[in-house]
Amino acid sequence: MLESLKIKDFALIDSSSVEFSKGFSVLSGETGAGKSILIGAISFLLGGKAGAESIRAGCQEASVSGVWSLPPKSKEDRDLSLDAEEEPQSAREWLSQRGIEDEDGQIILRRVIRAGGKSGAWIQGTPVPRADLAKFSEFLIDIHGQHEHQSLMRQPEHRKFLDSYCGVTEEVSAFTKIYAALVEKRKALDALSSSGAERERRIDWLKFSIQEIEEAKLKAGEDEELSAEESRLLSFEKLYSEVQSVNEIFSGEEGGVEALLKRLRSSSERAAGLDKSLSELDGRVQNVFYEISDLSQSFRSYQNSLVFDPARLEEVQARLDLIYKLKKKYASSTSSPLSAVFDYLAQAKAELESLDSSSVSKEGLEKEIAALERQVYEAAKSISAKRRAGGEKMSAQIEAVLQKLGMSGTKFSVSISQKAGDAALQKCGPYGMDDIEFLISANPGSPMASLSKIASGGELSRVMLALKTVFAQSDKVPTLIFDEIDTGIGGEVAVAVGEHMKKLAKNRQILCITHLASIAVFADNQIRIQKSVEGGIMKTRAAPVLGEERVAEIARMLSGDQNTPESLEHARSMLKKYAVLPA
């Protein structure tokens, strides 16, 4: 459950702290007040994409932090000592895999975006990538906005909704892997079945490329070593001159550093003989003397070893030219590391072995493909059966919810049809053998039609709310946010939606942005979003409304006027009827 939110310099919000409660909470405010900014801040905190434009004008960074309370541990929770490869099934499991501990069931999330566009994210003070933060947030909250209605208009998304409801999402993922293996085997068979001449040409090319690379006798990192040597040889004169200057400073004709250090060493030694307290300093002088002497000797030896060798330069450049040509032929680019050529060599050998090997035969592949086809078909049948059983149950539940939401007589159906196939083997796709589409008849007697045929935004909103309601029965996400799901509805329908959300909030924390008083009066808590101009700057504030303030806010939502006795009385009567009238 989201307990609190702190926002600093995000969009129009300069600084705001909002406390949230259990049950059904409504966010209200005049049009343009910035209600969706609050949802935008939550989305940003939970890993949503954002740029520097999210920062309030004149500021260098925006930050959002939130406190969440995790659901209490239950008997269904698995042992939290999971392997890194295991897929976590809860927020606690996700945290445990990464060694992050909650504090008495609470966690703190924080995210920052800076003017340069860079962002940072933390969970309990531990830095995490944005993608990890987004993945973790899926266990905490589900934000539903108007844009999500579009997912109902796309038929491929219907399969995802149904699979989630039926609990076969992981089973379908496993099926997809088997199906992909079958596709690869079929490709391999096609390659073996290609013309003999084409296969022979490929073998000849692979043999040539392997021979060319192996005859070069390349060594790992050789290109970098040769480049460094070439640079050294090309700048020989300058290098020699600089090293000579160093040696002259150490021990030039006028004595140099070494001569001075000898005098320093003698004087220091004599001084230490006269005053024992100088022994430590004298020891340090002696160490410096020996270190400088050693450096001087090393530089002299290096200078004596410097010999310009034009033949070696020519040899190095020829070798680099060969490496350049090999990279151009066998790596992605000439700037690729030499390891890319070694990678190509390994791949070429593997492919050549595959083409030459007598153990890999057309008959053997055909047997493997036949076995995989049977496995794919059986898995697809199992998934299809579960989808059909779940689809019937889901349709009935959604119809029941839609009836409560003022769509009495509406028929909802999950259409599941098999993909085209032949008598020997049912054809499948990556997600099974089914084509899935949600159909609806909004009026009695009307034929079932695709959801895309629904013209009313209000009907589409209620269908999505019904789906969310049905999924919430099995979904463990503790917090649901609805961003203006009331678009296109009003009157008795709005009352039905508000009543339904209140019931949904018995087992979930529900946050809802609404402009309808008929929904707001059902809320356990109401937060008002206000926009004002302070010091010539537009700012947005969020604060709970209680007592008479809530009555006034409901009155404003009813008639646009919160001061007339009639609107206030109307607000009181609605709050008394649908909620507990504040004292």
Side-chain angles (χ1 to χ4, degrees):
M1 185 189 87
L2 175 60
E3 293 190 352
S4 63
L5 194 69
K6 289 186 178 181
I7 306 170
K8 178 70 173 176
D9 296 327
F10 185 88
L12 295 177
I13 301 177
D14 60 339
S15 180
S16 184
S17 296
V18 186
E19 301 289 331
F20 296 94
S21 305
K22 295 180 181 179
F24 180 24
S25 296
V26 154
L27 282 69
S28 62
E30 295 183 357
T31 301
K35 298 185 292 297
S36 291
I37 293 178
L38 193 64
I39 302 302
I42 296 175
S43 298
F44 167 72
L45 175 61
L46 297 174
K49 292 183 179 180
E53 66 276 3
S54 299
I55 303 173
R56 194 167 66 90
C59 300
Q60 294 301 306
E61 70 173 35
S63 65
V64 182
S65 61
V67 178
W68 260 265
S69 59
L70 299 178
K73 294 180 181 179
S74 67
K75 295 180 180 179
E76 297 179 357
D77 286 337
R78 301 183 297 174
D79 180 9
L80 294 184
S81 56
L82 301 175
D83 293 334
E85 294 77 14
E86 289 188 70
E87 188 70 21
Q89 301 299 315
S90 69
R92 292 183 186 277
E93 289 182 5
W94 193 95
L95 293 171
S96 176
Q97 278 188 331
R98 291 155 181 79
I100 302 175
E101 296 183 358
D102 61 85
E103 186 173 343
D104 296 328
Q106 286 187 329
I107 55 168
I108 298 176
L109 275 59
R110 182 171 180 266
R111 192 168 176 215
V112 171
I113 181 78
R114 298 180 178 85
K118 292 185 178 181
S119 66
W122 296 264
I123 300 176
Q124 292 292 80
T126 300
V128 295
R130 184 185 70 83
D132 281 3
L133 181 64
K135 185 66 178 177
F136 175 64
S137 72
E138 293 177 3
F139 296 113
L140 302 178
I141 197 165
D142 184 6
I143 301 179
H144 170 64
Q146 280 293 305
H147 66 280
E148 281 190 79
H149 291 347
Q150 300 305 314
S151 63
L152 282 178
M153 307 294 274
R154 297 189 295 269
Q155 184 180 345
E157 297 296 314
H158 298 178
R159 194 266 312 165
K160 296 179 183 179
F161 278 114
L162 178 61
D163 286 351
S164 175
Y165 175 81
C166 296
V168 297
T169 300
E170 292 185 10
E171 192 173 341
V172 172
S173 296
F175 172 88
T176 301
K177 293 178 182 178
I178 302 173
Y179 181 83
L182 174 60
V183 171
E184 288 302 314
K185 291 292 182 183
R186 284 175 173 167
K187 287 181 181 178
L189 180 61
D190 290 341
L192 279 180
S193 301
S194 62
S195 68
E198 181 182 343
R199 182 169 172 271
E200 287 303 318
R201 283 195 298 269
R202 182 60 179 169
I203 289 175
D204 288 343
W205 166 252
L206 290 171
K207 287 181 177 179
F208 170 78
S209 60
I210 291 170
Q211 181 180 355
E212 185 177 30
I213 295 172
E214 288 185 335
E215 285 181 351
K217 296 180 180 179
L218 302 172
K219 298 178 182 178
E222 181 181 2
D223 54 339
E224 296 179 357
E225 294 177 5
L226 289 173
S227 295
E229 186 176 358
E230 180 190 35
S231 177
R232 186 167 63 250
L233 289 169
L234 288 172
S235 58
F236 177 82
E237 291 185 5
K238 185 176 181 181
L239 174 62
Y240 188 91
S241 175
E242 294 297 340
V243 172
Q244 188 176 37
S245 296
V246 170
N247 284 326
E248 287 177 354
I249 292 172
F250 275 129
S251 54
E253 294 180 359
E254 299 180 1
V257 172
E258 279 192 283
L260 287 173
L261 282 174
K262 285 181 181 178
R263 290 167 53 195
L264 173 62
R265 178 191 176 198
S266 297
S267 297
S268 173
E269 191 173 10
R270 289 194 296 271
L274 297 172
D275 185 353
K276 298 300 181 184
S277 67
L278 295 174
S279 296
E280 183 182 350
L281 293 177
D282 179 53
R284 291 166 63 184
V285 169
Q286 301 300 322
N287 290 337
V288 170
F289 172 78
Y290 289 120
E291 178 66 20
I292 295 298
S293 297
D294 184 63
L295 282 172
S296 177
Q297 180 60 40
S298 297
F299 269 97
R300 281 196 298 270
S301 298
Y302 180 80
Q303 182 178 358
N304 293 334
S305 69
L306 284 176
V307 178
F308 179 63
D309 187 351
R312 176 56 183 167
L313 176 59
E314 185 176 343
E315 180 184 334
V316 168
Q317 290 178 329
R319 185 67 173 170
L320 283 172
D321 184 59
L322 172 61
I323 292 174
Y324 175 87
K325 291 177 180 178
L326 291 175
K327 285 184 178 181
K328 190 174 182 179
K329 290 176 72 173
Y330 304 117
S332 58
S333 71
T334 55
S335 60
S336 299
L338 192 55
S339 59
V341 178
F342 290 122
D343 291 341
Y344 176 87
L345 178 63
Q347 293 167 7
K349 286 182 175 180
E351 185 179 352
L352 181 61
E353 182 180 356
S354 175
L355 291 172
D356 276 342
S357 176
S358 59
S359 62
V360 179
S361 65
K362 182 178 179 181
E363 293 77 12
L365 265 178
E366 287 174 341
K367 289 180 180 179
E368 289 183 42
I369 289 171
L372 275 173
E373 283 178 340
R374 287 191 295 271
Q375 188 178 359
V376 164
Y377 181 49
E378 292 301 321
K381 281 203 307 182
S382 174
I383 292 171
S384 183
K386 293 175 182 177
R387 283 171 173 166
R388 290 178 182 278
E392 292 181 5
K393 182 180 178 182
M394 176 179 164
S395 297
Q397 288 184 313
I398 289 178
E399 284 184 2
V401 175
L402 289 175
Q403 186 172 0
K404 296 177 182 178
L405 294 178
M407 293 179 70
S408 179
T410 298
K411 297 295 182 183
F412 183 93
S413 174
V414 179
S415 171
I416 302 175
S417 58
Q418 290 190 340
K419 296 179 181 294
D422 53 39
L425 180 66
Q426 173 69 40
K427 287 186 179 179
C428 295
Y431 309 111
M433 61 170 56
D434 305 312
D435 286 325
I436 299 166
E437 184 175 14
F438 293 166
L439 304 176
I440 192 168
S441 170
N443 300 301
S446 299
M448 302 296 289
S450 171
L451 282 176
S452 61
K453 303 299 182 182
I454 297 178
S456 167
E459 288 178 342
L460 202 57
S461 294
R462 282 177 281 170
V463 171
M464 179 58 82
L465 178 56
L467 284 170
K468 291 289 183 179
T469 300
V470 171
F471 292 157
Q473 296 172 7
S474 58
D475 193 357
K476 295 181 180 180
V477 178
T479 300
L480 299 177
I481 295 182
F482 294 96
D483 186 0
E484 300 204 22
I485 199 172
D486 54 17
T487 299
I489 65 175
E492 294 181 0
V493 174
V495 172
V497 170
E499 184 177 13
H500 187 74
M501 282 194 171
K502 190 174 185 70
K503 290 179 180 178
L504 191 60
K506 289 181 179 179
N507 300 312
R508 292 286 189 280
Q509 181 188 39
I510 304 294
L511 306 179
C512 175
I513 288 181
T514 185
H515 64 281
L516 295 179
S518 303
I519 291 177
V521 291
F522 284 95
D524 301 305
N525 317 284
Q526 186 165 352
I527 297 170
R528 180 173 57 198
I529 314 297
Q530 287 182 302
K531 187 166 62 176
S532 61
V533 177
E534 299 177 18
I537 299 175
M538 189 70 70
K539 296 182 179 181
T540 295
R541 294 279 188 271
V545 285
L546 304 170
E548 288 302 316
E549 286 188 355
R550 186 177 184 193
V551 173
E553 177 64 6
I554 295 295
R556 182 198 63 76
M557 296 174 74
L558 283 167
S559 62
D561 189 346
Q562 59 183 10
N563 295 316
T564 65
E566 293 80 9
S567 61
L568 290 171
E569 184 57 33
H570 189 186
R572 288 180 184 279
S573 65
M574 289 186 69
L575 285 168
K576 185 175 182 179
K577 182 176 180 180
Y578 298 118
V580 178
L581 183 64

